[in-house]
Amino acid sequence: MTMIEHPTIDIIAGARPNFMKIAPIIGAIESSQARGGRLQYRLIHTGQHYDAKMSGDFFTQLGIPAPHVNLEVGSGTQAEQTSAIMTRYEKLLIEKRSDLCLVVGDVTSTMACAIAAQKLCVQVAHVEGGIRSGDWTMPEEINRMVTDAITNLFFTTSEVANGNLRRTGVTDDRIFFVGNTMIDTLLANMSRLQQPTFWEELGLVEKRYLVLTLHRPNNVDGENTLAAMLRAVGDGARGMPVVFPVHPRTAKTLQSIANLSSNFHFVDPQPYLEFNYLVKHAKAVITDSGGITEETTVMGVPCMTLRNSTERPETVTMGTNELLGTDPAALAPALDRLFAGDWKRGAIPPLWDGKTGARIVEVLEKLFAR
Ligand code: UD1
């Protein structure tokens, strides 16, 4: 490994679930600099998410500094976004090279920047490397596989991830089991969570409402599929309010669905502190997200996942999450168990302890900084 006087790391963020993962890494680099550490970073926002509600609010609430560069790629198909990010990031690297490209998670920006960097022989580090759902119909799974195939350093969240990497031939000297940066952010902000302004207006009471989030193309792009899921949630909720922060992709389909039960409350995508306040005090969360299943596990909130697979199996084997599949009929018996008080309690996975950002920076200092 080449040691560099003032190594510069590109930190890549593009879409909503990236922002809570980069915040603790940036915080740890800045703490290290204050102690004389030599790592420098350049924060690059690809612009994959650009609305204040999907992006800017997270920077403000989590104290993430303004990006040094915004590639401003905006919306598009998978290939359009991938190619725009690659083209613009490649140009940036040619103009001003960095020593390492650090990507997080599994979004299009993660894969696109990893490819552009590695082709210019800039090493790649992947935070949350090694996780797999096995479901190739999800763009995120393709992003994970491609990214990990060309990653030099893996920062992992679980032993399962380590095993997945070893099975593809990755040697142990490239795997760093450090824990979960998303949980660093959650623990750091637990005492700052904010009640949403609509709390009183909707008459919400702790543990007497459900939170719903849906945004996977398979669940929300078809009107009939989405309508059937919403009816099953409405029917099983026993009149409890269902708070549904609606992702922009879901909003498009939702416009054409009528006659939903009156206990649904559709709200805008929530900022970080408000969203996790809602989750923390909910009776349960119903979701097709991956990251939310980690947060519910740490907060001990029952979670039902409307997917057939998960890349985060520890949320099921150790945590409060259950995979219900995508058949809406699975919701009724699961909600029966919830309301009967019969949901598992769960435990917190190893190293999900709030110190992951610091562990990552310690490794980077050792490997790169003189
Ligand atoms: C992306 C990620 C997914 C992540 C999700 C969280 C990929 C492949 N998927 O999916 O892993 O869980 O973000 O939100 O990277 N849009 C807006 N405003 C925005 C951003 C998007 O209106 O700020 C619209 C787009 O125009 C598009 C839709 O939302 O119609 C979907 O956006 P896109 O970035 O394609 O993917 P997501 O479904 O958000």
Side-chain angles (χ1 to χ4, degrees), residues 99-150:
D99 302 300
L100 179 75
C101 169
L102 181 140
V103 294
V104 301
D106 56 17
V107 303
T108 300
S109 304
T110 309
M111 175 188 72
C113 289
I115 298 174
Q118 195 61 266
K119 287 206 170 202
L120 290 172
C121 301
V122 172
Q123 292 206 11
V124 174
H126 185 196
V127 173
E128 204 186 87
I131 64 175
R132 294 287 184 276
S133 67
D135 179 356
W136 288 21
T137 67
M138 288 175 56
E140 292 81 0
E141 184 70 354
I142 311 294
N143 295 341
R144 290 181 200 114
M145 293 192 302
V146 173
T147 304
D148 284 349
I150 54 169

Short mmCIF file of all heavy atoms in Angstrom, two decimals, residues 99-150:
data_model
loop_
_atom_site.label_atom_id
_atom_site.label_comp_id
_atom_site.label_asym_id
_atom_site.label_seq_id
_atom_site.Cartn_x
_atom_site.Cartn_y
_atom_site.Cartn_z
N ASP A 99 -6.89 9.79 -3.89
CA ASP A 99 -6.10 8.60 -3.57
C ASP A 99 -6.97 7.39 -3.28
O ASP A 99 -6.49 6.26 -3.28
CB ASP A 99 -5.20 8.90 -2.36
CG ASP A 99 -4.30 10.09 -2.66
OD1 ASP A 99 -3.52 9.98 -3.62
OD2 ASP A 99 -4.41 11.12 -1.97
N LEU A 100 -8.24 7.64 -2.99
CA LEU A 100 -9.16 6.53 -2.68
C LEU A 100 -10.57 7.01 -2.94
O LEU A 100 -10.91 8.16 -2.62
CB LEU A 100 -9.02 6.13 -1.19
CG LEU A 100 -9.92 4.99 -0.71
CD1 LEU A 100 -9.41 3.64 -1.22
CD2 LEU A 100 -9.99 4.95 0.82
N CYS A 101 -11.39 6.13 -3.50
CA CYS A 101 -12.81 6.45 -3.69
C CYS A 101 -13.59 5.61 -2.69
O CYS A 101 -13.57 4.38 -2.76
CB CYS A 101 -13.21 6.11 -5.13
SG CYS A 101 -14.99 6.15 -5.41
N LEU A 102 -14.25 6.27 -1.74
CA LEU A 102 -15.00 5.55 -0.72
C LEU A 102 -16.49 5.64 -1.04
O LEU A 102 -17.04 6.74 -1.11
CB LEU A 102 -14.69 6.12 0.66
CG LEU A 102 -15.38 5.42 1.84
CD1 LEU A 102 -14.43 5.29 3.03
CD2 LEU A 102 -16.63 6.16 2.27
N VAL A 103 -17.09 4.49 -1.31
CA VAL A 103 -18.53 4.46 -1.61
C VAL A 103 -19.25 3.74 -0.48
O VAL A 103 -18.66 2.92 0.23
CB VAL A 103 -18.79 3.75 -2.97
CG1 VAL A 103 -18.21 4.55 -4.13
CG2 VAL A 103 -18.26 2.32 -2.98
N VAL A 104 -20.52 4.07 -0.31
CA VAL A 104 -21.32 3.44 0.76
C VAL A 104 -22.60 2.86 0.15
O VAL A 104 -23.12 3.37 -0.83
CB VAL A 104 -21.69 4.45 1.87
CG1 VAL A 104 -20.46 5.06 2.51
CG2 VAL A 104 -22.59 5.57 1.34
N GLY A 105 -23.07 1.77 0.76
CA GLY A 105 -24.39 1.24 0.42
C GLY A 105 -24.45 0.61 -0.96
O GLY A 105 -23.46 0.05 -1.45
N ASP A 106 -25.61 0.74 -1.59
CA ASP A 106 -25.89 -0.06 -2.80
C ASP A 106 -26.66 0.70 -3.86
O ASP A 106 -27.33 0.10 -4.70
CB ASP A 106 -26.70 -1.30 -2.39
CG ASP A 106 -27.97 -0.93 -1.65
OD1 ASP A 106 -28.39 0.25 -1.73
OD2 ASP A 106 -28.55 -1.80 -0.98
N VAL A 107 -26.59 2.02 -3.85
CA VAL A 107 -27.38 2.76 -4.84
C VAL A 107 -26.59 2.91 -6.14
O VAL A 107 -25.41 2.57 -6.22
CB VAL A 107 -27.85 4.13 -4.27
CG1 VAL A 107 -28.65 3.94 -2.99
CG2 VAL A 107 -26.70 5.08 -4.04
N THR A 108 -27.26 3.43 -7.15
CA THR A 108 -26.62 3.57 -8.46
C THR A 108 -25.32 4.37 -8.37
O THR A 108 -24.33 4.04 -9.02
CB THR A 108 -27.63 4.24 -9.43
OG1 THR A 108 -28.77 3.38 -9.49
CG2 THR A 108 -27.06 4.42 -10.81
N SER A 109 -25.32 5.41 -7.55
CA SER A 109 -24.12 6.25 -7.40
C SER A 109 -22.94 5.44 -6.86
O SER A 109 -21.78 5.69 -7.22
CB SER A 109 -24.40 7.39 -6.43
OG SER A 109 -25.50 8.14 -6.86
N THR A 110 -23.23 4.47 -5.99
CA THR A 110 -22.19 3.63 -5.39
C THR A 110 -21.44 2.88 -6.49
O THR A 110 -20.21 2.92 -6.59
CB THR A 110 -22.85 2.60 -4.44
OG1 THR A 110 -23.72 3.28 -3.53
CG2 THR A 110 -21.83 1.77 -3.69
N MET A 111 -22.21 2.19 -7.32
CA MET A 111 -21.62 1.37 -8.38
C MET A 111 -20.93 2.23 -9.44
O MET A 111 -19.80 1.94 -9.86
CB MET A 111 -22.72 0.52 -9.04
CG MET A 111 -22.22 -0.27 -10.22
SD MET A 111 -23.54 -1.08 -11.14
CE MET A 111 -24.34 0.31 -11.95
N ALA A 112 -21.61 3.30 -9.85
CA ALA A 112 -21.09 4.10 -10.97
C ALA A 112 -19.74 4.72 -10.60
O ALA A 112 -18.80 4.72 -11.40
CB ALA A 112 -22.10 5.18 -11.34
N CYS A 113 -19.63 5.25 -9.39
CA CYS A 113 -18.36 5.89 -8.99
C CYS A 113 -17.27 4.84 -8.79
O CYS A 113 -16.11 5.09 -9.11
CB CYS A 113 -18.56 6.73 -7.73
SG CYS A 113 -19.51 8.23 -8.09
N ALA A 114 -17.64 3.67 -8.26
CA ALA A 114 -16.63 2.61 -8.09
C ALA A 114 -16.03 2.23 -9.44
O ALA A 114 -14.81 2.09 -9.58
CB ALA A 114 -17.25 1.40 -7.41
N ILE A 115 -16.87 2.09 -10.45
CA ILE A 115 -16.37 1.71 -11.78
C ILE A 115 -15.45 2.81 -12.34
O ILE A 115 -14.33 2.53 -12.79
CB ILE A 115 -17.52 1.45 -12.78
CG1 ILE A 115 -18.40 0.29 -12.32
CG2 ILE A 115 -16.97 1.17 -14.19
CD1 ILE A 115 -19.65 0.07 -13.17
N ALA A 116 -15.93 4.06 -12.29
CA ALA A 116 -15.13 5.16 -12.86
C ALA A 116 -13.77 5.23 -12.17
O ALA A 116 -12.74 5.40 -12.83
CB ALA A 116 -15.89 6.47 -12.74
N ALA A 117 -13.76 5.09 -10.85
CA ALA A 117 -12.50 5.21 -10.10
C ALA A 117 -11.55 4.05 -10.44
O ALA A 117 -10.39 4.27 -10.81
CB ALA A 117 -12.79 5.23 -8.60
N GLN A 118 -12.06 2.85 -10.35
CA GLN A 118 -11.19 1.68 -10.53
C GLN A 118 -10.59 1.66 -11.94
O GLN A 118 -9.44 1.27 -12.12
CB GLN A 118 -11.98 0.40 -10.23
CG GLN A 118 -11.14 -0.83 -10.01
CD GLN A 118 -10.18 -0.72 -8.83
OE1 GLN A 118 -9.02 -0.33 -9.02
NE2 GLN A 118 -10.63 -1.03 -7.62
N LYS A 119 -11.35 2.14 -12.92
CA LYS A 119 -10.81 2.16 -14.29
C LYS A 119 -9.68 3.17 -14.44
O LYS A 119 -8.90 3.10 -15.38
CB LYS A 119 -11.93 2.46 -15.29
CG LYS A 119 -12.84 1.26 -15.46
CD LYS A 119 -13.52 1.24 -16.79
CE LYS A 119 -14.21 -0.09 -17.00
NZ LYS A 119 -14.42 -0.36 -18.41
N LEU A 120 -9.63 4.14 -13.51
CA LEU A 120 -8.50 5.08 -13.53
C LEU A 120 -7.45 4.67 -12.50
O LEU A 120 -6.60 5.47 -12.11
CB LEU A 120 -9.00 6.50 -13.26
CG LEU A 120 -9.84 7.12 -14.39
CD1 LEU A 120 -10.46 8.45 -13.95
CD2 LEU A 120 -9.00 7.33 -15.64
N CYS A 121 -7.57 3.42 -12.03
CA CYS A 121 -6.62 2.88 -11.04
C CYS A 121 -6.62 3.66 -9.73
O CYS A 121 -5.58 3.76 -9.07
CB CYS A 121 -5.20 2.79 -11.61
SG CYS A 121 -5.13 1.76 -13.06
N VAL A 122 -7.79 4.24 -9.39
CA VAL A 122 -7.96 4.81 -8.05
C VAL A 122 -8.61 3.70 -7.21
O VAL A 122 -9.63 3.14 -7.61
CB VAL A 122 -8.87 6.06 -8.09
CG1 VAL A 122 -9.21 6.53 -6.68
CG2 VAL A 122 -8.20 7.17 -8.89
N GLN A 123 -8.01 3.38 -6.08
CA GLN A 123 -8.53 2.29 -5.26
C GLN A 123 -9.93 2.61 -4.75
O GLN A 123 -10.28 3.77 -4.54
CB GLN A 123 -7.60 2.05 -4.07
CG GLN A 123 -6.27 1.51 -4.49
CD GLN A 123 -5.62 0.69 -3.38
OE1 GLN A 123 -6.24 0.36 -2.37
NE2 GLN A 123 -4.37 0.38 -3.57
N VAL A 124 -10.69 1.54 -4.49
CA VAL A 124 -12.08 1.70 -4.03
C VAL A 124 -12.25 1.03 -2.67
O VAL A 124 -11.79 -0.09 -2.45
CB VAL A 124 -13.06 1.05 -5.05
CG1 VAL A 124 -14.49 1.07 -4.51
CG2 VAL A 124 -12.98 1.76 -6.40
N ALA A 125 -12.91 1.76 -1.75
CA ALA A 125 -13.33 1.18 -0.47
C ALA A 125 -14.85 1.17 -0.45
O ALA A 125 -15.49 2.14 -0.85
CB ALA A 125 -12.79 2.02 0.69
N HIS A 126 -15.42 0.05 -0.01
CA HIS A 126 -16.88 -0.06 0.02
C HIS A 126 -17.36 -0.28 1.45
O HIS A 126 -17.09 -1.31 2.06
CB HIS A 126 -17.33 -1.22 -0.88
CG HIS A 126 -18.83 -1.32 -0.99
ND1 HIS A 126 -19.48 -2.44 -1.47
CD2 HIS A 126 -19.80 -0.43 -0.68
CE1 HIS A 126 -20.78 -2.23 -1.45
NE2 HIS A 126 -21.00 -1.02 -0.97
N VAL A 127 -18.08 0.73 1.95
CA VAL A 127 -18.67 0.64 3.29
C VAL A 127 -20.03 -0.04 3.14
O VAL A 127 -20.85 0.42 2.35
CB VAL A 127 -18.82 2.06 3.89
CG1 VAL A 127 -19.59 2.00 5.20
CG2 VAL A 127 -17.45 2.70 4.08
N GLU A 128 -20.23 -1.12 3.89
CA GLU A 128 -21.42 -1.98 3.78
C GLU A 128 -21.21 -2.99 2.65
O GLU A 128 -22.14 -3.46 2.01
CB GLU A 128 -22.69 -1.16 3.54
CG GLU A 128 -23.99 -1.83 3.97
CD GLU A 128 -25.21 -1.03 3.56
OE1 GLU A 128 -25.70 -1.21 2.42
OE2 GLU A 128 -25.67 -0.22 4.37
N GLY A 129 -19.94 -3.34 2.40
CA GLY A 129 -19.63 -4.34 1.38
C GLY A 129 -20.11 -5.72 1.82
O GLY A 129 -20.30 -5.98 3.01
N GLY A 130 -20.28 -6.59 0.82
CA GLY A 130 -20.49 -8.02 1.11
C GLY A 130 -21.92 -8.46 1.36
O GLY A 130 -22.18 -9.66 1.43
N ILE A 131 -22.86 -7.52 1.51
CA ILE A 131 -24.22 -8.00 1.79
C ILE A 131 -24.89 -8.41 0.47
O ILE A 131 -24.60 -7.86 -0.59
CB ILE A 131 -25.07 -7.01 2.62
CG1 ILE A 131 -25.32 -5.70 1.89
CG2 ILE A 131 -24.39 -6.75 3.97
CD1 ILE A 131 -26.25 -4.76 2.65
N ARG A 132 -25.73 -9.42 0.53
CA ARG A 132 -26.38 -9.97 -0.67
C ARG A 132 -27.80 -10.42 -0.34
O ARG A 132 -28.02 -11.09 0.65
CB ARG A 132 -25.63 -11.23 -1.14
CG ARG A 132 -24.23 -11.01 -1.65
CD ARG A 132 -24.20 -10.33 -3.02
NE ARG A 132 -22.82 -10.24 -3.46
CZ ARG A 132 -21.97 -9.26 -3.09
NH1 ARG A 132 -22.37 -8.29 -2.31
NH2 ARG A 132 -20.72 -9.28 -3.51
N SER A 133 -28.73 -10.08 -1.26
CA SER A 133 -30.09 -10.61 -1.12
C SER A 133 -30.29 -11.83 -2.01
O SER A 133 -31.21 -12.61 -1.81
CB SER A 133 -31.11 -9.53 -1.52
OG SER A 133 -31.00 -9.27 -2.92
N GLY A 134 -29.46 -11.96 -3.04
CA GLY A 134 -29.64 -13.04 -4.01
C GLY A 134 -30.73 -12.74 -5.03
O GLY A 134 -30.99 -13.54 -5.92
N ASP A 135 -31.36 -11.57 -4.92
CA ASP A 135 -32.47 -11.22 -5.81
C ASP A 135 -31.99 -10.28 -6.91
O ASP A 135 -31.85 -9.08 -6.70
CB ASP A 135 -33.59 -10.57 -4.97
CG ASP A 135 -34.77 -10.15 -5.83
OD1 ASP A 135 -34.69 -10.28 -7.07
OD2 ASP A 135 -35.76 -9.67 -5.26
N TRP A 136 -31.78 -10.84 -8.09
CA TRP A 136 -31.23 -10.06 -9.20
C TRP A 136 -32.27 -9.15 -9.84
O TRP A 136 -31.96 -8.41 -10.78
CB TRP A 136 -30.63 -10.98 -10.27
CG TRP A 136 -29.34 -11.62 -9.84
CD1 TRP A 136 -28.89 -11.79 -8.57
CD2 TRP A 136 -28.33 -12.17 -10.70
NE1 TRP A 136 -27.69 -12.42 -8.55
CE2 TRP A 136 -27.32 -12.68 -9.86
CE3 TRP A 136 -28.21 -12.31 -12.07
CZ2 TRP A 136 -26.19 -13.29 -10.36
CZ3 TRP A 136 -27.07 -12.92 -12.57
CH2 TRP A 136 -26.07 -13.41 -11.72
N THR A 137 -33.53 -9.19 -9.39
CA THR A 137 -34.51 -8.26 -9.95
C THR A 137 -34.40 -6.89 -9.30
O THR A 137 -35.01 -5.93 -9.76
CB THR A 137 -35.97 -8.76 -9.77
OG1 THR A 137 -36.29 -8.74 -8.36
CG2 THR A 137 -36.15 -10.16 -10.33
N MET A 138 -33.63 -6.80 -8.22
CA MET A 138 -33.47 -5.49 -7.56
C MET A 138 -32.21 -4.81 -8.07
O MET A 138 -31.12 -5.39 -8.01
CB MET A 138 -33.38 -5.66 -6.04
CG MET A 138 -34.71 -6.03 -5.40
SD MET A 138 -34.51 -6.34 -3.64
CE MET A 138 -33.78 -4.81 -3.11
N PRO A 139 -32.31 -3.56 -8.53
CA PRO A 139 -31.11 -2.88 -9.03
C PRO A 139 -30.01 -2.81 -7.96
O PRO A 139 -28.83 -2.88 -8.28
CB PRO A 139 -31.60 -1.47 -9.40
CG PRO A 139 -32.96 -1.32 -8.82
CD PRO A 139 -33.51 -2.70 -8.63
N GLU A 140 -30.42 -2.74 -6.70
CA GLU A 140 -29.42 -2.64 -5.61
C GLU A 140 -28.53 -3.88 -5.57
O GLU A 140 -27.36 -3.78 -5.21
CB GLU A 140 -30.11 -2.46 -4.25
CG GLU A 140 -30.81 -1.12 -4.07
CD GLU A 140 -32.20 -1.09 -4.71
OE1 GLU A 140 -32.64 -2.11 -5.30
OE2 GLU A 140 -32.83 -0.02 -4.63
N GLU A 141 -29.10 -5.07 -5.87
CA GLU A 141 -28.29 -6.29 -5.81
C GLU A 141 -27.23 -6.28 -6.91
O GLU A 141 -26.08 -6.68 -6.69
CB GLU A 141 -29.19 -7.53 -5.91
CG GLU A 141 -28.47 -8.86 -5.76
CD GLU A 141 -27.95 -9.15 -4.34
OE1 GLU A 141 -28.05 -8.27 -3.46
OE2 GLU A 141 -27.41 -10.26 -4.14
N ILE A 142 -27.60 -5.79 -8.08
CA ILE A 142 -26.62 -5.67 -9.18
C ILE A 142 -25.54 -4.67 -8.75
O ILE A 142 -24.34 -4.91 -8.93
CB ILE A 142 -27.30 -5.14 -10.48
CG1 ILE A 142 -28.57 -5.92 -10.80
CG2 ILE A 142 -26.32 -5.13 -11.65
CD1 ILE A 142 -28.40 -7.35 -11.15
N ASN A 143 -25.97 -3.57 -8.15
CA ASN A 143 -25.00 -2.56 -7.70
C ASN A 143 -24.03 -3.16 -6.68
O ASN A 143 -22.83 -2.89 -6.73
CB ASN A 143 -25.73 -1.37 -7.07
CG ASN A 143 -26.58 -0.61 -8.08
OD1 ASN A 143 -26.37 -0.73 -9.28
ND2 ASN A 143 -27.53 0.17 -7.59
N ARG A 144 -24.56 -3.97 -5.76
CA ARG A 144 -23.67 -4.59 -4.75
C ARG A 144 -22.66 -5.52 -5.40
O ARG A 144 -21.47 -5.49 -5.06
CB ARG A 144 -24.51 -5.42 -3.76
CG ARG A 144 -25.39 -4.63 -2.86
CD ARG A 144 -26.17 -5.57 -1.90
NE ARG A 144 -27.30 -4.84 -1.40
CZ ARG A 144 -28.58 -5.11 -1.66
NH1 ARG A 144 -28.93 -6.19 -2.35
NH2 ARG A 144 -29.53 -4.35 -1.19
N MET A 145 -23.14 -6.36 -6.31
CA MET A 145 -22.24 -7.36 -6.90
C MET A 145 -21.16 -6.70 -7.75
O MET A 145 -19.99 -7.08 -7.66
CB MET A 145 -23.04 -8.36 -7.74
CG MET A 145 -23.96 -9.22 -6.88
SD MET A 145 -24.63 -10.62 -7.79
CE MET A 145 -25.43 -9.81 -9.11
N VAL A 146 -21.57 -5.73 -8.56
CA VAL A 146 -20.58 -5.06 -9.42
C VAL A 146 -19.57 -4.31 -8.56
O VAL A 146 -18.36 -4.40 -8.77
CB VAL A 146 -21.29 -4.12 -10.42
CG1 VAL A 146 -20.27 -3.30 -11.20
CG2 VAL A 146 -22.17 -4.91 -11.37
N THR A 147 -20.07 -3.57 -7.59
CA THR A 147 -19.17 -2.78 -6.74
C THR A 147 -18.17 -3.69 -6.03
O THR A 147 -16.96 -3.44 -6.04
CB THR A 147 -19.99 -1.98 -5.70
OG1 THR A 147 -20.94 -1.18 -6.40
CG2 THR A 147 -19.10 -1.09 -4.84
N ASP A 148 -18.67 -4.77 -5.43
CA ASP A 148 -17.78 -5.63 -4.65
C ASP A 148 -16.77 -6.36 -5.54
O ASP A 148 -15.67 -6.70 -5.09
CB ASP A 148 -18.59 -6.63 -3.82
CG ASP A 148 -19.21 -5.95 -2.61
OD1 ASP A 148 -18.85 -4.79 -2.32
OD2 ASP A 148 -20.05 -6.58 -1.93
N ALA A 149 -17.11 -6.58 -6.81
CA ALA A 149 -16.19 -7.27 -7.71
C ALA A 149 -14.95 -6.42 -7.99
O ALA A 149 -13.90 -6.95 -8.38
CB ALA A 149 -16.89 -7.61 -9.02
N ILE A 150 -15.06 -5.08 -7.78
CA ILE A 150 -13.93 -4.20 -8.11
C ILE A 150 -13.50 -3.35 -6.91
O ILE A 150 -12.92 -2.28 -7.07
CB ILE A 150 -14.25 -3.29 -9.32
CG1 ILE A 150 -15.56 -2.54 -9.08
CG2 ILE A 150 -14.34 -4.12 -10.60
CD1 ILE A 150 -15.81 -1.43 -10.10
#
